[in-house]
């Protein structure tokens, strides 16, 4: 049985960290946010809004006398794998206040990865308090925050008792591989090959479906709650929205998810955006025994409820997106053919394919990019997922002691001119797209007496770049179009060396925005669209466009091809380590 740890509230008192100090992954190389300039004065001495606030007032609404002192702001909950954050954005998409807390990840057995559901909730609430303190220091208050968006890690699975609202065990986190045997058994079923056409995902340890199956088979309280019809299932977005709205004690508990998160469960039909009985039946689920979250659009003024406590009590939650979809929205990737890569704990590449899903033939996932409702068609994406990106840097820091801080990876990797023949297949949880090798393990190749820490650091950064190129090539085959550039964000994108290497290995320009909090910005955009801060996507054309840096390929193509061929050789040699 999986036990839930006791939460010690005092833990959080020492971990309230303002944006600015170095953070594990998501805050890699971050600099303190600038203090916004004072409001400009009109000739009569009154205070006017900044130009960007005037530009982004809802159409048809003029500033009243009472509103002259107030600007338009959107809050964003960004709940990731290693930390939670709350950011407050202005109308141009610039963060004006922020707070971040790292929380503990649990690894009770090899291949197991868990989180305490209450620690996720508590960290989010503490982040809201911390960011609002900084917001107040600038002269603003709760009434200036029009709405809140929420973006979360996706496949991480939470189950709770619908009568008490209490979690029944720790959450199983998306990279967890305890379900390998279940996946192997499911792949042997006759109808297994038909699933991807319906839901867009291949069978692997990645989606929520197999995690729920494992819980039903191995955790007695979960199985008992299922048999008695009081088992509530959700991804992290559903859990947080449920609890932020008051949980089981609410007059009408809110149990919802949006289609970007639901598309990661393998329970939702990709075309109808509703649960599919064939998919549920394949995983042995009886809909009458389990409470699945209602699937709603990613942007809605009412479906997600409102906060019931804390400094923003009463403020509506207007948007919800899975973290990678949110990053695509934050990069304003609204046109087919646009792509982004988020270098966080893992690496996640989304390629907008338009309003019809494309089922991959080359090892990618088909997913919902965003669904803003209001009569708009949903947009779909091809996705390639890399299990280890920034997590590789954390591994070098925590396990090998190569670094004191994650930010030192750039200097350490740059201390050598090249990788010295070292290749690091960072398959800590197997390899994801486009390989889908469950039985690979992390493997270092090419080590000699010449090898230094710098070579291994460089090989760690390069591993993410090689996997990104493999995914981009698969996207080109599926879509029939070669990408012209790649928009990037996430902690590891702050490394100039890593981004230049990415451009060299991939042979295309890498486009990095100045403001790289794009995941949180995407959720803010969804909430703003729901509440009239922005009316249409065209209103967002200038959001986060200033100060972008483009890395052009500099390495000769023969050298880049040679390096990539050696990487693929290393991938082949890493297979089979977990076979009995």
């Amino acid at each position: 049985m999986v036990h839930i740890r006791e939460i010690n509230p005092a833990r959080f008192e020492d971990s309230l960290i303002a944006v600015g100090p170095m953070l594990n992954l998501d805050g890699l190389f971050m600099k303190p946010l600038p203090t916004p300039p004072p409001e400009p004065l009109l000739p009569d001495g009154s205070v006017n809004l900044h130009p960007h606030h005037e530009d982004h007032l809802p159409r048809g609404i003029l500033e009243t006398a009472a509103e002259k002192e107030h600007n338009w702001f959107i809050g964003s909950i960004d709940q990731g794998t290693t930390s939670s954050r709350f950011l407050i954005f202005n109308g141009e998409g610039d963060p004006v206040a922020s707070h971040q807390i790292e929380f503990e990840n649990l690894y009770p057995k090899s291949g197991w990865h868990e989180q305490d559901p209450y620690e996720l909730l508590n960290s989010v609430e503490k982040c809201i308090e911390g960011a609002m303190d900084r917001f107040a220091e600038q002269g603003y208050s709760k009434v200036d925050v029009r709405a809140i968006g929420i973006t979360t890690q996706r496949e991480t699975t939470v189950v709770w008792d619908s009568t008490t609202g209490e979690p029944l065990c720790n959450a199983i986190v998306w990279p967890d591989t305890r379900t390998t045997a279940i996946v192997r058994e499911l792949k042997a079923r006759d109808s297994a090959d038909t699933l991807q056409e319906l839901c867009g995902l291949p069978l692997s340890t990645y989606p929520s479906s197999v995690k729920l199956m494992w819980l039903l088979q191995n955790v007695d309280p979960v199985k008992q709650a299922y048999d008695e019809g009081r088992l509530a299932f959700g991804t992290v977005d559903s859990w947080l929205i449920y609890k932020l709205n008051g949980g089981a004690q609410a007059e009408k508990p809110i149990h919802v998810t949006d289609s970007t998160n639901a598309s990661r469960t393998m329970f939702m039909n990709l075309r109808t955006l509703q649960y599919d009985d064939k998919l549920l039946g394949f995983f042995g689920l009886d809909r009458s025994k389990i409470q699945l979250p209602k699937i709603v659009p990613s942007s809605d003024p009412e479906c997600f409820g409102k906060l019931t406590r804390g400094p923003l009590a009463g403020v509506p939650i207007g948007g919800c997106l899975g973290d990678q979809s949110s990053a695509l929205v934050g990069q304003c990737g609204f046109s087919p053919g646009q792509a982004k890569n988020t270098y966080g704990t893992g690496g996640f590449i989304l390629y907008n394919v338009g309003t019809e899903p494309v089922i991959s033939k080359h090892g990618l996932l088909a997913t919902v990019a965003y669904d803003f409702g209001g009569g708009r068609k949903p947009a779909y994406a091809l996705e390639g997922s890399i299990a280890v990106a920034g997590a590789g840097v954390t591994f070098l820091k925590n396990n090998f002691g190569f670094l004191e801080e994650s930010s030192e990876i750039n200097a350490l990797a740059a201390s050598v001119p090249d990788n010295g023949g070292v290749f690091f297949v960072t398959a800590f949880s197997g390899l994801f797209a486009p390989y889908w090798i469950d039985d690979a393990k992390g493997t270092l190749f090419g080590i000699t007496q010449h090898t230094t820490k710098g070579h291994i650091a460089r090989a760690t950064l390069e591993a993410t770049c090689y996997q990104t190129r493999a995914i981009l090539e698969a996207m080109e085959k599926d879509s029939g179009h070669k990408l012209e550039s790649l928009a990037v964000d996430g902690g590891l994108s702050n490394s100039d060396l890593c981004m230049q290497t990415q451009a060299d290995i991939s042979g295309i320009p890498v486009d990095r925005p100045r403001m790289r909090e794009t995941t949180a910005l995407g959720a803010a955009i969804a909430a703003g669209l729901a509440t009239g801060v922005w009316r249409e996507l065209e209103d967002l054309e200038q959001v986060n466009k200033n100060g972008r840096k483009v890395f052009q390929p500099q390495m000769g193509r023969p050298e880049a091809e040679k390096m990539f061929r050696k990487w693929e050789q290393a991938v082949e040699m890493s297979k089979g380590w977990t076979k009995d």
Side-chain angles (χ1 to χ4, degrees), residues 186-215:
L186 291 175
K187 284 182 175 179
R189 295 184 182 179
D190 292 338
S191 56
D193 293 340
T194 67
L195 300 184
Q196 190 166 358
E197 184 65 34
L198 289 174
C199 68
L201 306 182
L203 278 167
S204 73
T205 60
Y206 194 23
S208 308
S209 54
V210 294
K211 295 174 171 61
L212 179 58
M213 283 187 70
W214 187 93
L215 289 169

Side-chain angles (χ1 to χ4, degrees), residues 28 43 58 101 136-137 197 201 208 218-219 241 259 314 338 363 365 435 444 450 460 477 509 511 536 565:
L28 205 62
I101 295 176
E137 290 170 2
E197 184 65 34
L201 306 182
S208 308
N218 293 277
V219 182
I241 291 169
S259 54
Q338 292 183 290
L365 313 180
Y435 307 106
L444 273 164
H450 170 69
T460 302
K477 293 174 184 176
D511 181 0
E536 295 297 338
R565 286 196 301 271

Side-chain angles (χ1 to χ4, degrees), residues 10-235:
R11 279 191 66 228
F12 296 104
E13 300 302 321
D14 294 331
S15 59
L16 297 181
I17 307 172
V19 167
M22 295 314 308
L23 297 174
N24 184 20
L25 291 175
D26 299 324
L28 205 62
F29 314 124
M30 286 178 60
K31 296 180 180 179
L33 294 172
T35 301
E39 302 287 359
L41 295 179
L42 294 176
D44 62 1
S46 61
V47 177
N48 190 15
L49 297 178
H50 288 310
H52 58 249
H53 297 309
E54 292 175 341
D55 292 343
H56 294 279
L57 284 174
R59 293 175 182 171
I61 298 179
L62 299 177
E63 186 186 23
T64 66
E67 289 175 329
K68 282 186 182 294
E69 298 176 0
H70 299 304
N71 300 324
W72 297 87
F73 296 96
I74 301 290
S76 181
I77 295 169
D78 181 359
Q79 201 297 300
T81 308
T82 59
S83 68
S84 297
R85 291 184 287 180
F86 186 73
L87 296 91
I88 302 172
F89 291 92
N90 63 24
E92 281 194 339
D94 294 321
V96 298
S98 178
H99 199 77
Q100 179 168 350
I101 295 176
E102 294 184 11
F103 52 82
E104 185 177 6
N105 279 265
L106 310 171
Y107 305 94
K109 296 183 182 180
S110 177
W112 291 31
H113 188 172
E114 299 178 1
Q115 291 167 347
D116 186 322
Y118 269 124
E119 190 158 5
L120 301 181
L121 175 65
N122 292 345
S123 64
V124 164
E125 293 184 324
K126 289 290 186 182
C127 285
I128 293 174
E129 293 175 5
M132 285 301 294
D133 287 344
R134 288 160 180 78
F135 195 55
E137 290 170 2
Q138 300 177 40
Y140 302 119
S141 68
K142 167 184 169 180
V143 298
D144 298 307
V145 180
R146 294 295 183 182
I148 295 167
I150 181 168
T151 180
T152 62
Q153 51 179 311
R154 295 174 298 175
E155 295 80 5
T156 297
T157 300
V158 188
V159 289
W160 63 93
D161 187 323
S162 62
T163 60
T164 66
E166 295 298 309
L168 295 167
C169 59
N170 282 331
I172 300 182
V173 188
W174 57 271
D176 187 287
T177 59
R178 75 185 70 183
T179 57
T180 300
I182 291 177
V183 171
R184 191 176 298 124
E185 185 271 324
L186 291 175
K187 284 182 175 179
R189 295 184 182 179
D190 292 338
S191 56
D193 293 340
T194 67
L195 300 184
Q196 190 166 358
E197 184 65 34
L198 289 174
C199 68
L201 306 182
L203 278 167
S204 73
T205 60
Y206 194 23
S208 308
S209 54
V210 294
K211 295 174 171 61
L212 179 58
M213 283 187 70
W214 187 93
L215 289 169
L216 287 168
Q217 293 175 12
N218 293 277
V219 182
D220 291 340
V222 175
K223 181 63 165 63
Q224 183 177 351
Y226 175 79
D227 291 338
E228 296 174 1
R230 51 185 174 81
L231 178 65
F233 156 86
T235 41

Side-chain angles (χ1 to χ4, degrees), residues 6 43 148 188-189 225 242 280 284 312 316 332 380 398 409 420 423 448 463:
E6 288 283 334
I148 295 167
R189 295 184 182 179
Y242 172 75
L280 293 171
L312 289 177
C332 295
Y380 294 91
N398 294 344
I409 186 67
F423 288 78
T448 68

Side-chain angles (χ1 to χ4, degrees), residues 412-420 450 452 454-455 458 462 497 555:
L412 181 58
S415 67
V416 292
D418 53 43
N419 63 20
H450 170 69
T452 67
H455 294 120
R458 199 170 187 114
E462 290 177 353
L497 175 60
M555 181 182 291

